[in-house]
Amino acid sequence: MKGSEIRAKYIQFFEAKGHLHLPSFSLIPKDDPSLLLIGAGMAPLKPFFTGKVEPPRTRIVTCQNCMRTGDLENVGRTARHHTYFEMLGNFSFGDYFKQEAITWAWEFLTRELGLEPERLYVTVHPEDEEAYRIWHEEVGVPAEHIYKLEDNFWEIGEGPCGPCSEIFYDQGESFGTGPEHAMGSDSDRFLEIWNLVFTQFDRKADGSYEPLAKKNIDTGAGLERLAAVLQKKRNNFETDLIFPLLERAARLAGVRYGENEAHDVSLKVIADHARALTVLIGDGVLPSNEGRGYVLRRILRRAVRQGKLLGIDRPFIAELVDVVVDLLAPGQPELAEKREYIRKIAGVEEARFQKTLDQGILLLQERLAALTAAGTNVLAGDDVFRLYDTYGFPWELTEEIAAESGISIDADGFRTAMNEQRERARAAREQVSAKIKTPDTTKLAGAGKLYDEALTAAEVVMIGRDGEEIEEAGDGEEALVITAGTPFHAEGGGQLGDTGMLVGPAGRAVVHDTKMNPDGTIYHVAEISEGSLRRGDRVDLLPDTYRRQEMARNHTATHLLHAALRKVLGEHVTQAGSVVMPDRLRFDFTQPQPVTDEELAQIEESVNEDILAAIPTWIEVMPLAAAKELGAMALFGEKYGEEVRVVQVPGVSIELCGGSHVGNTGEIGMFRILSESGIGSGVRRIEAVTGRASYRLAKEQEATLMQAAALLKAQPAELLGRLERLQAEKKELVKELADAHRAQAKERLGELVRDALEVKGLRIVCGEVPAADAQELREIGDMLKSRDDVQVVLIGTAQGDKVSLVAMATKEAVAAGIHAGNAVRAAAAVCGGGGGGRPDMAQAGGKDAAKLQEALLAGRDVFLQALQG
């Protein structure tokens, strides 16, 4: 049975049991600060489990994309470890409980999948007598196939948890016999294939457990494990879900799977990581050095370096992305739409890492040479870790190259540094800022979800503080306020939430932000400025319409900008994020190289042409399928429901968007680009202003132009010519000054050579020379060193309070014991500076020009001591 068939059978089975099928949620957690990435099927459903948000149905079935990176080093070395995997899950929110969960699981495994009942074993928590009874008395599992285990309690961070019951499949004696392969051991013989969690508690941040208002069911079955069992494979990598990736990687490397254990590990790592990076990028994660972006960067680079170990010396990740998309398409058709985007992001990051990898090799070679010169035969663990962490350098390759030079690596030191980094990463995850905690909104029965810009007043239906509902909030207190309906626009789609005022019969509140719960409930983040607000009060709703109109201008402008980027740069451009603020907009987009000044001018002109055309905008809510037929563009990483809001600028742009927009492009007024920059691998950012901010920018630039004209005693139109003449005059003056310095230096050089000290046949020139800067000082040093009658040089110059020093020595002098770096370091120390360099050439700087002569003498003494020693 193919993996895609197992996935489809599972979903269809539970749909027949009254479950609503929801597509996989994004790997990026929504409104859950306790998670970096979604690591379990229930994680996106936490609000439904806690009862704070009403689910669309009390029975849900999913096949959820999951990502876990806690034991990355085990991927490829065991039969089951993965970063990315698919978790099948059926869930009940206050509906059915243990009876149905257990009997349906048995029915699916034995009847739908055809697994032999005698090969199935289960575990329960010792105190869960109800689960034991159902398994033994109703399902008919023999007592000797039921194990009571203390650790049968499921939890992952904060949130819903409870006792669980795991189902195991006996893969047979070919996987091992004896006590070490018994049920409950680490052997693969008894393979866990499904976990049924009976969610009864809610774990709080302080580690305490509180009973849930409603009992729930959360189950998880690894699709890859089920496929391995049904396809009779000894590991997940050999199933049809993953093996085509191993085959492609093996062909690229010119090796065969199953012939070399080390090669097999590399092939498995590449296959696993290719799946992970494809889904991460598809969900909107971009490579970076922190958070989710760092997870992506790390696994992509790990795949590339495994390819390097296999001998793959050309870019190959994009080819594997194609295979992943084809394999996952039956369950995730949206990946096919993002294929080119994923290929481009992955390709740019791969190319960047190839450069980093080469830098790592150079750094390692230099470090090994230094160790050999010092007579040391162990490379420090910190050095190995720096190569691994900063340059993405495989420690295995570090070990191999070091061994060729007779040097081993400090493996313990490396592991210590690695563990310290893991602790830092763990601490960083725990410090992720949380959104304001909302109370249980299920009791509102839909109240609080109405958004209507025409509303002017509504009843306060809930007030909350620290996640708890309160009756009243008084002067100076911060609170979450939910009204029956609201004209305040909630944060979303890159647009900030509305601000404004709530005015009631006994007080008023300043709204600092407006947000939305996953179930669509809109809440105002407010501070009571006077009096008090009570539940049941009818309040006037006064959003800051001026601020909203400014954001509407900027939001519609982002749509025009997106269209202009695709027109000027090409259809490969895709939105990678945006922020819409009242005073400016920020738009991130995929583009492998910087945008030229000429292209930016064309983009800005295109947007302004659309503004001048005064095109009426068109906004309509419609089914997602209808929107796609119209050609509406969706934002990467966003998941959409069956009904979507389409914003169209006819003839220019059509996008799915829930934000505020102008009724006519002419209302934007003007569009000006402030900056264009790179923010990540293959991602650029444009910041711009519109409307009043654009006008203010023009006036500020005009004022600056007038001030510059006044300083140069010219009209604005004459400025360019006047500046060109000034530059020409400056260039000539600099040349004259340089010529004067050279003449002075030449005269001074003669004096220095005449006064040179001769020790053991080496002539040492030491003294102060006139020079405009450090570069000119080095040129003078080269002139001295090139003379046949000079072997050692130490010269300095002062520019204001700053000192520059240069020391040089011929090969003959170095052989006699002269070290330019030591001399210049001693000289710099005297005048409050530092520096150094090679035996034949070194330079330094100082901060005390008054001590230049003393510094030169100190450096000369180092030369003399070296020759006399």
Side-chain angles (χ1 to χ4, degrees), residues 558-735:
T558 64
H559 288 214
L560 301 182
L561 173 59
H562 192 185
L565 286 165
R566 292 171 65 85
K567 181 168 71 175
V568 175
L569 302 180
E571 294 295 310
H572 66 276
V573 170
T574 307
Q575 181 174 349
S578 69
V579 177
V580 177
M581 296 164 279
D583 57 335
R584 67 188 187 280
L585 64 91
R586 192 175 78 200
F587 191 83
D588 301 338
F589 57 98
T590 57
Q591 167 72 2
Q593 63 272 341
V595 184
T596 66
D597 289 342
E598 182 181 354
E599 288 168 335
L600 282 174
Q602 292 175 26
I603 292 163
E604 186 175 270
E605 181 180 4
S606 175
V607 174
N608 281 301
E609 286 293 336
D610 292 333
I611 292 170
L612 289 170
I615 306 168
T617 56
W618 175 83
I619 300 175
E620 184 178 340
V621 176
M622 63 177 68
L624 178 60
K628 288 186 174 181
E629 284 182 17
L630 283 175
M633 294 182 64
L635 180 65
F636 274 108
E638 285 290 323
K639 302 291 183 181
Y640 297 94
E642 295 180 4
E643 294 284 314
V644 293
R645 185 170 180 262
V646 178
V647 177
Q648 185 174 9
V649 181
V652 180
S653 165
I654 177 167
E655 297 191 25
L656 304 183
C657 181
S660 301
H661 289 274
V662 297
N664 185 295
T665 60
E667 296 174 34
I668 299 172
M670 185 190 301
F671 174 85
R672 296 284 301 279
I673 293 176
L674 297 175
S675 64
E676 189 276 341
S677 60
I679 61 165
S681 188
V683 182
R684 311 293 299 178
R685 170 173 291 170
I686 282 179
E687 297 202 40
V689 291
T690 66
R692 295 178 179 86
S694 187
Y695 173 74
R696 287 194 296 269
L697 176 65
K699 295 301 291 182
E700 289 168 4
Q701 291 175 337
E702 180 186 5
T704 301
L705 186 68
M706 296 304 293
Q707 290 171 7
L711 284 172
L712 294 176
K713 296 181 174 57
Q715 293 299 315
E718 302 169 344
L719 271 178
L720 189 59
R722 182 66 60 88
L723 286 170
E724 287 173 344
R725 287 195 297 275
L726 282 173
Q727 281 188 317
E729 291 172 10
K730 178 188 175 185
K731 186 176 181 181
E732 185 61 32
L733 287 171
V734 169
K735 182 178 180 300

Side-chain angles (χ1 to χ4, degrees), residues 12 191 199 280 291 361 396 418 424-425 491 547 561 580 678:
Q12 291 164 7
L191 181 67
T199 314
L280 277 170
I361 289 174
E396 301 95 335
M418 177 70 81
R424 289 193 297 271
E491 177 186 343
R547 179 178 179 272
L561 173 59
V580 177

Side-chain angles (χ1 to χ4, degrees), residues 68-354:
R68 296 180 186 175
T69 58
D71 48 4
L72 204 60
E73 64 278 1
N74 285 329
V75 174
R77 301 185 183 278
T78 72
R80 317 293 168 199
H81 274 94
H82 300 291
T83 52
Y84 165 80
F85 59 96
E86 294 182 79
M87 185 173 285
L88 302 167
N90 56 287
F91 308 93
S92 166
F93 309 105
D95 191 324
Y96 62 84
F97 201 46
K98 296 178 185 180
Q99 177 76 32
E100 294 84 353
I102 291 172
T103 55
W104 288 345
W106 187 262
E107 179 184 351
F108 179 75
L109 291 175
T110 58
R111 296 184 186 177
E112 297 294 323
L113 299 187
L115 295 181
E116 312 93 312
E118 64 273 13
R119 286 196 170 206
L120 295 174
Y121 291 71
V122 298
T123 62
V124 296
H125 192 269
E127 298 178 10
D128 195 350
E129 292 297 333
E130 181 184 6
Y132 182 91
R133 181 188 58 77
I134 296 170
W135 279 119
H136 184 48
E137 297 178 9
E138 299 191 27
V139 175
V141 177
E144 60 270 21
H145 279 217
I146 304 176
Y147 289 74
K148 294 183 178 182
L149 301 178
E150 195 66 43
D151 60 358
N152 266 44
F153 193 92
W154 194 93
E155 58 188 343
I156 179 168
E158 298 173 41
C161 57
C164 63
S165 183
E166 298 169 321
I167 305 173
F168 290 78
Y169 180 77
D170 180 2
Q171 299 193 86
E173 293 184 356
S174 65
F175 282 78
T177 58
E180 68 273 19
H181 298 286
M183 177 68 182
S185 69
D186 292 332
S187 168
D188 267 349
R189 174 172 173 174
F190 293 89
L191 181 67
E192 181 197 341
I193 56 174
W194 205 340
N195 190 9
L196 315 179
V197 181
F198 312 124
T199 314
Q200 300 169 227
F201 306 106
D202 182 15
R203 178 178 174 175
K204 298 300 183 182
D206 62 4
S208 62
Y209 297 87
E210 294 184 5
L212 288 170
K214 297 177 181 178
K215 294 178 181 180
N216 306 311
I217 288 294
D218 155 28
T219 84
L223 177 61
E224 294 80 4
R225 291 192 176 206
L226 284 174
V229 167
L230 290 165
Q231 295 171 18
K232 307 296 182 184
K233 302 297 183 183
R234 296 191 70 85
N235 65 67
N236 296 357
F237 295 94
E238 295 176 6
T239 68
D240 72 317
L241 292 168
I242 305 175
F243 195 66
L245 283 161
L246 269 78
E247 291 182 307
R248 177 65 66 87
R251 285 200 298 272
L252 290 169
V255 301
R256 290 175 64 87
Y257 175 75
E259 293 184 351
N260 180 291
E261 186 177 350
H263 289 172
D264 289 353
V265 170
S266 293
L267 291 172
K268 290 174 183 176
V269 171
I270 291 169
D272 173 272
H273 290 8
R275 287 173 16 116
L277 68 91
T278 298
V279 179
L280 277 170
I281 297 173
D283 276 347
V285 178
L286 296 169
S288 71
N289 282 329
E290 58 184 31
R292 302 174 188 101
Y294 181 68
V295 171
L296 170 59
R297 170 162 286 168
R298 194 169 165 217
I299 62 173
L300 190 150
R301 292 185 171 195
R302 195 166 190 263
V304 172
R305 70 173 181 256
Q306 291 295 332
K308 194 91 168 178
L309 290 173
L310 288 172
I312 304 176
D313 291 322
R314 66 177 181 85
F316 67 93
I317 295 296
E319 291 185 44
L320 297 182
V321 167
D322 283 332
V323 180
V324 175
V325 170
D326 292 341
L327 289 171
L328 294 179
Q332 303 179 58
E334 67 276 6
L335 276 179
E337 301 172 14
K338 304 171 185 177
R339 183 191 299 264
E340 289 308 312
Y341 169 80
I342 299 169
R343 282 173 53 93
K344 184 172 292 294
I345 295 299
V348 170
E349 176 67 11
E350 181 180 15
R352 173 176 291 184
F353 177 55
Q354 290 290 356

Side-chain angles (χ1 to χ4, degrees), residues 734-765:
V734 169
K735 182 178 180 300
E736 290 176 9
L737 183 62
D739 290 342
H741 276 141
R742 273 191 289 272
Q744 288 179 328
K746 190 172 183 180
E747 182 180 343
R748 176 67 176 140
L749 293 187
E751 296 175 8
L752 289 173
V753 173
R754 284 195 300 272
D755 296 339
L757 286 176
E758 184 169 345
V759 180
K760 293 185 178 180
L762 299 177
R763 288 173 58 80
I764 303 172
V765 170

Side-chain angles (χ1 to χ4, degrees), residues 440-510:
D440 182 356
T441 59
T442 55
K443 61 187 290 185
L444 296 179
K449 297 182 181 181
L450 174 65
Y451 168 69
D452 183 352
E453 288 190 6
L455 272 180
T456 59
E459 179 187 347
V460 175
V461 295
M462 181 174 286
I463 301 176
R465 185 190 305 120
D466 298 327
E468 301 296 331
E469 183 180 3
I470 58 175
E471 284 295 311
E472 180 180 6
D475 186 17
E477 293 182 334
E478 292 187 354
L480 174 154
V481 181
I482 300 175
T483 52
T486 182
F488 284 74
H489 185 276
E491 177 186 343
Q495 181 175 320
L496 301 184
D498 274 350
T499 61
M501 294 286 295
L502 304 177
V503 180
R508 61 176 59 212
V510 178

